[in-house]
Amino acid sequence: MKSMPRWVDLFLIPAINVFLAFLVAGLVVMFIGEDPLHAMRIMIQGSLGSDYGIGYTLFYTTSFIFTGLCVAVAFHASIFNIGGEGQAGVAGIGVAIVALTLDQTHWLLVLPLAVLGAGLFGAAWAAVPAYLNAKRGSHIVITTIMFNYIAAALLIYVLNTYLKVPGSMAPESRRFAGGAHIPRLDQMAEWIGLELTRTPANISLFLALLACLLVWLLIWRTRFGYELRAFGFSEPAAVYAGMAPFRIIMITMLISGALAGMMAINVVLGELQRLNLDSVQGAGFVGIAVALMGRSHPVGVILAALLFGVLYQGGAELAFEIPAIPSQMILTIQALVILFTGSLENMVRFPMERLFLFLRLRKEAR
Amino acid sequence: MDLAELFQLFDSTLRNATPLLLACLAGLFSERSGIFDIGLEGKMLAAAFAAAAVAAWAAAPYVADPFPGQLSGLGLGWTAAILGVLAGIFASILMALLHGFASITLRGNQLISGVAINFLAAGATVLIGESLFSMGGQTPQLSGNARFSGLDLPLAETLGGIPILGPLYRDVISGQVILVYVALLAVPLTAWVLFNTRFGLRLRAVGENPGAVDTAGVSVVRMRYSAVLIAGILCGIAGAYLSMGTSAAGFVKDMTAGRGFIALAALIFAKWRPYPALGACLLFGLLEAIGSKYQNVDIGLFVIPVQFMQALPYILTVVILAGFIGKAIPPKAGGVPYVKER
């Protein structure tokens, strides 16, 4: 028997947890000697107060949707994929190869092939840990962490050895030519006669929203999605029902890795227009917070990604306005969100369960 | 490569291995009790910061009326360094308790808790550092009493004349910071505690079959909290070593630079055993030393890129985990919260 109504589980508890995380963050700001409400106003003003701010917020949001989905899909199968960072980094190589080869053509050709390249490279980087987990029983969390570091080394090697501009010291590829420039949101707004400030937000935002829809369809409307959730709920039960764990783990991780890889479209193709060493910049890890906060549901992921987009853009403005609050504030908030919505979740859940049990018992006693 | 160069390499191997070893033993205690700990990195980082901050403050001379930005401290002598280490241990224990509270008391996800601790440390150290010292997240440079310097072991110069072993003793083993010896001594101590004491037996049992330990009338919760606390202490020393015992001489943001994860790798490589942990940490320390001393290693047939050397600890861990070279089997109850009534 369910001890709590559905809405408590789905909305009230996450809301309380996020509130607690921000409460603690506010206390930290107070401890530093600044006014948390003033800081919050600057953040919201900086991220949502102008089309410039909104553009950057949406740019970050796009990346976080992809990495959030990456973690969320795996969560449904009870797999914790911490490797989004490495998968996105390696996917950048795939994007760069496509873009560097075809940047004399047209973005309509480059974009779908780059999506393919990012997906393939991201999935490939997730495939090894997945295989080792499914076939040899290695712990996937540890393996994906290790693969993050291996990816970083690989990226340095590839950039230094193959993609670096000859004669240049900087470990980055040459800039993609015009044929590989995908439309930015401000350019797209121009098509319908709107004028927006130039920001890196680009067409991949729509890809991200499409990915959310596809993930929703996959998990709740397909046979494989059912297997994936069954496996995540109880592996023995799934095996007993005739499902093959190897297949589920492999496909789930491939999809997860490909989703993480998609963020390279947004950053490498959309913003940097070259491959450099730190194109991911921790977005893979933000995905963990986004998935936890969004309860691994695509709609939740969009909302959580938007919140983190606001935090990142607002945090950058905040660091500019109040130098006493450096951008590491965002990292702290991210940690608190992971802490309260992830590992300390039961701090709210246990008392809630008791409360609703008490309420029900009293009702029945009447 | 002559002998002196080789010893130089061993010297830096030992220095690189020290924080790894301490963190690795910390992970060993925690994971042997059934609590996964991927927050080693965060605990070390928090400790490194707290140690450097307190040591800097304690060693700074007292100023009755400091002008803005000037540090007025306690003006302590060598006790400043001790105070720093204690502060590091304290910060690390706070993090460990948070991990314990989340994963033992609240039965939350231990991996997620570890991830959160890593980010919390990365964010909070810079945040607090900036508000205390306004140096971009760094702590003031430590000097004199506020940091550790090398200890010359007895007879180092006298024995130095003996071929091979003499210089080995003089240049590698002697002249290290005291925390290096603490780390080395922690290995036999850990082995003894783990395999020769009642506490150790219970600790290992609680990581394999907590139900049985509970039935025997021993508190699973208390055992696991003690393990997590020991892990906190060891990570604290590791962090203090990083900021007070190395050439960094102060805290720099993200100064652990993935060492917590290399320690985790060493732990798996050593299959959760103390003496192999020493071997694994020395190996990874050597790899780091080679990687920073030489760029690309030319072995005649082909050139090994430096990035490969840097990635080698991680690659080795993956290989070991996959069971291609001897299977690494973690404690059976690792990562599973213990629920008493079932």
Side-chain angles (χ1 to χ4, degrees):
Chain A
M1 189 165 21
K2 277 235 169 78
S3 56
M4 288 183 293
R6 224 169 112 80
W7 62 270
V8 176
D9 192 28
L10 284 182
F11 298 104
L12 188 60
I13 291 178
I16 294 176
N17 283 322
V18 172
F19 173 75
L20 284 175
F22 279 88
L23 190 71
V24 175
L27 290 176
V28 173
V29 174
M30 271 171 72
F31 171 78
I32 294 175
E34 300 291 335
D35 177 7
L37 289 177
H38 179 59
M40 204 163 166
R41 232 183 345 263
I42 293 177
M43 286 181 82
I44 292 175
Q45 183 65 33
S47 58
L48 299 172
S50 62
D51 58 344
Y52 173 82
I54 292 175
Y56 269 92
T57 301
L58 289 179
F59 168 70
Y60 292 123
T61 304
T62 309
S63 289
F64 299 156
I65 290 180
F66 283 129
T67 53
L69 285 178
C70 151
V71 180
V73 167
F75 266 160
H76 277 289
S78 279
I79 299 171
F80 189 10
N81 177 11
I82 307 198
E85 190 80 6
Q87 287 143 20
V90 172
I93 302 175
V95 170
I97 291 174
V98 171
L100 289 170
T101 321
L102 295 173
D103 60 357
Q104 301 302 329
T105 59
H106 194 267
W107 68 266
L108 279 173
L109 177 68
V110 173
L111 184 59
L113 287 175
V115 167
L116 206 65
L120 277 178
F121 274 66
W125 205 248
V128 187
Y131 180 84
L132 293 177
N133 176 252
K135 270 280 179 267
R136 321 262 332 171
S138 353
H139 200 300
I140 203 152
V141 173
I142 309 290
T143 333
T144 45
I145 292 176
M146 298 302 146
F147 263 66
N148 282 341
Y149 285 99
I150 302 174
L154 179 78
L155 198 60
I156 301 177
Y157 177 72
V158 168
L159 277 171
N160 270 328
T161 321
Y162 300 108
L163 296 179
K164 196 168 74 174
V165 182
S168 157
M169 283 305 288
E172 53 181 37
S173 77
R174 74 169 165 81
R175 195 159 186 273
F176 308 148
H181 293 182
I182 53 175
R184 296 187 309 271
L185 283 192
D186 53 283
Q187 289 170 323
M188 295 172 76
E190 228 168 77
W191 298 343
I192 53 170
L194 272 174
E195 249 189 73
L196 293 179
T197 316
R198 180 180 166 150
T199 59
N202 58 68
I203 194 168
S204 19
L205 174 65
F206 299 104
L207 280 180
L209 296 176
L210 182 69
C212 286
L213 180 68
L214 292 178
V215 165
W216 181 79
L217 283 174
L218 173 85
I219 290 179
W220 281 283
R221 287 294 178 272
T222 65
R223 183 193 294 251
F224 178 74
Y226 179 76
E227 288 187 6
L228 186 154
R229 281 180 296 136
F231 177 80
F233 204 71
S234 163
E235 186 176 341
V239 172
Y240 186 73
M243 300 167 188
F246 177 76
R247 183 170 156 265
I248 298 175
I249 294 174
M250 282 310 286
I251 299 181
T252 307
M253 278 300 282
L254 289 177
I255 294 172
S256 179
L259 282 167
M262 285 305 138
M263 76 153 277
I265 301 282
N266 184 40
V267 180
V268 176
L269 204 57
E271 186 208 11
L272 302 168
Q273 294 170 346
R274 64 165 72 83
L275 184 64
N276 65 13
L277 278 183
D278 52 352
S279 64
V280 189
Q281 294 203 322
F285 296 123
V286 180
I288 300 169
V290 167
L292 281 171
M293 201 170 148
R295 300 239 119 196
S296 301
H297 191 284
V299 176
V301 166
I302 296 178
L303 294 175
L306 191 61
L307 180 86
F308 271 94
V310 167
L311 281 177
Y312 267 69
Q313 169 55 18
E317 294 286 322
L318 188 61
F320 186 71
E321 294 266 338
I322 309 179
I325 309 182
S327 57
Q328 270 77 9
M329 185 70 221
I330 307 307
L331 207 58
T332 313
I333 296 180
Q334 186 183 324
L336 291 169
V337 168
I338 296 179
L339 200 62
F340 281 98
T341 59
S343 55
L344 292 180
E345 201 214 3
N346 287 340
M347 194 164 65
V348 175
R349 180 174 294 270
F350 286 168
M352 276 286 169
E353 275 175 356
R354 229 166 290 151
L355 176 72
F356 278 91
L357 189 70
F358 171 73
L359 288 178
R360 205 181 60 212
L361 288 178
R362 208 177 58 174
K363 213 160 96 186
E364 279 167 9
R366 253 193 222 139
Chain B
M1 181 162 29
D2 61 357
L3 215 54
E5 206 180 334
L6 193 68
F7 286 155
Q8 213 179 11
L9 203 62
F10 286 164
D11 179 44
S12 47
T13 299
L14 202 54
R15 280 186 274 117
N16 293 336
T18 299
L20 297 182
L21 185 57
L22 286 163
C24 185
L25 293 175
L28 194 139
F29 272 103
S30 185
E31 303 214 342
R32 278 280 183 156
S33 82
I35 302 293
F36 274 152
D37 197 353
I38 55 175
L40 295 173
E41 175 93 357
K43 284 197 283 249
M44 261 202 286
L45 192 64
F49 171 74
V54 167
W57 170 69
Y62 174 73
V63 185
D65 184 22
F67 56 83
Q70 192 189 9
L71 191 65
S72 169
L74 298 176
L76 291 179
W78 58 273
T79 40
I82 306 289
L83 215 57
V85 175
L86 289 179
I89 292 176
F90 179 72
S92 173
I93 281 182
L94 281 186
M95 292 283 191
L97 281 179
L98 180 63
H99 188 53
F101 179 62
S103 47
I104 304 170
T105 306
L106 291 179
R107 308 200 289 265
N109 187 321
Q110 299 166 9
L111 299 165
I112 292 175
S113 167
V115 170
I117 282 170
N118 289 338
F119 287 130
L120 193 61
T125 49
V126 177
L127 216 55
I128 298 173
E130 177 66 27
S131 90
L132 289 181
F133 304 110
S134 312
M135 294 170 68
Q138 296 189 7
T139 60
Q141 195 76 15
L142 300 177
S143 57
N145 284 324
R147 57 173 307 213
F148 288 105
S149 44
L151 286 180
D152 284 322
L153 292 190
L155 302 176
E157 279 311 312
T158 324
L159 296 175
I162 303 169
I164 302 184
L165 286 182
L168 182 73
Y169 180 71
R170 186 187 60 200
D171 298 338
V172 179
I173 297 174
S174 170
Q176 301 286 359
V177 173
I178 187 165
L179 296 179
V180 175
Y181 305 116
V182 170
L184 291 175
L185 286 179
V187 178
L189 188 66
T190 303
W192 180 74
V193 167
L194 217 53
F195 298 111
N196 292 302
T197 65
R198 186 186 305 192
F199 174 79
L201 178 68
R202 288 172 174 175
L203 189 85
R204 284 180 291 135
V206 103
E208 298 290 338
N209 189 345
V213 178
D214 202 13
T215 313
V218 178
S219 164
V220 175
V221 170
R222 188 187 296 169
M223 285 311 298
R224 289 193 165 168
Y225 263 110
S226 351
V228 166
L229 277 180
I230 296 173
I233 294 171
L234 287 169
C235 276
I237 304 175
Y241 173 78
L242 278 179
S243 61
M244 299 171 62
T246 61
S247 53
F251 176 83
V252 191
K253 75 170 180 175
D254 294 328
M255 75 181 308
T256 42
R259 284 191 183 84
F261 292 107
I262 299 197
L264 204 62
L267 180 62
I268 296 164
F269 201 70
K271 298 175 189 166
W272 293 269
R273 291 170 304 174
Y275 285 109
L278 173 65
C281 290
L282 286 175
L283 172 69
F284 291 173
L286 176 68
L287 288 176
E288 192 188 332
I290 295 174
S292 57
K293 191 164 160 60
Y294 306 100
Q295 279 303 303
N296 298 331
V297 181
D298 193 346
I299 55 164
L301 286 174
F302 54 94
V303 177
I304 303 174
V306 63
Q307 288 84 18
F308 182 76
M309 302 291 297
Q310 283 158 355
L312 203 53
Y314 308 112
I315 297 173
L316 284 176
T317 305
V318 171
V319 171
I320 284 287
L321 259 184
F324 292 123
I325 315 173
K327 188 125 184 84
I329 301 165
K332 201 170 166 220
V336 188
Y338 180 65
V339 185
K340 204 176 170 80
E341 59 277 14
R342 194 146 59 193

